[in-house]
Amino acid sequence: MHGHGTDHHPRIPHASRLERARVLLVGAGGLGCPASLALAQAGVGHLTLADPDRVDVTNLPRQLWHRGEDVGRNKAESATAGLARAFPGLSTEAMAERVDASNAEGLFRAHDAVIDATDGVATKFFLSDVAVLTGVPLVYGGVLRMQGQAMRVDPGGPCLRCLYEAPPPPDAVPTCAQAGVLGSLAGLVGAVQALLALELLSGAARGGQGEATLHVLDAVSLLGRRTRVTRAPDCAGCRVTAIPAYPESPEACAT
């Protein structure tokens, strides 16, 4: 386990499997920061954080690894520095670039699981397609206004296109600036994403072939619900045979 002493991190079943695990987090912001914290606390051996953006002063209230002096710094580098401060024994890598069609396949195959901590709706579908192609599990997550969602895309299971079919038109989903994001809800969704990854990496995941569970969190009622998702007939996302084109158009924010 990582940290200043193992007394603060009780061992969990199959901890040795977690210590050997490699997880890629695509995004080091509102979802990626809490997800990386939870993964590190559980003892995951290596975290790669990829994010081309730079820390803005507006990020500081909800993106826990970034400090005032990090404003203007690349988010992946700032987040890995924060992880190193909190978990000196953790292996980390910062990628100050986006995960796109040029590098996605290699990055997925170099890791045991991927956390979708992005804020672009079309990017989420891109990552789901890459997960199907490579057979590397992906944990989808998103937050908008007062609702959050998370779902694991497992090999042979339903993908994001089974759930939503296609990204909405660019003007159909408001931006973060327009809709607002509740920082504590983003932290909760990121933690749930980490739990779904840990469930898989520890060997504790259970579920029927071709099924998944969508976790929906409502910050207004403080209630959650689970929805059973099955593979959709003739789903284009489940038949991906090549890396799809990366969405180049401006995207709405989901975190």
Side-chain angles (χ1 to χ4, degrees), residues 122-204:
T123 298
K124 294 179 180 298
F125 284 83
F126 169 80
L127 295 176
S128 175
D129 291 343
V130 178
V132 172
L133 177 69
T134 59
V136 177
L138 170 76
V139 183
Y140 152 76
V143 177
L144 186 63
R145 294 193 177 98
M146 302 294 282
Q147 187 181 92
Q149 298 183 347
M151 184 182 83
R152 193 175 63 237
V153 177
D154 289 322
C159 69
L160 195 56
R161 294 184 189 275
C162 292
L163 181 63
Y164 292 120
E165 189 173 347
D171 58 353
V173 180
T175 66
C176 283
Q178 293 169 335
V181 174
L182 184 63
S184 55
L185 180 59
L188 179 59
V189 172
V192 171
Q193 288 183 276
L195 285 171
L196 292 174
L198 292 167
E199 181 184 51
L200 176 77
L201 295 170
S202 67

Side-chain angles (χ1 to χ4, degrees), residues 217-238:
L217 307 171
D218 187 337
V220 176
S221 64
L222 294 181
L223 295 175
R225 60 182 173 86
R226 297 186 300 170
T227 299
R228 177 173 169 265
V229 181
T230 59
R231 292 191 65 171
D234 302 320
C235 172
C238 291

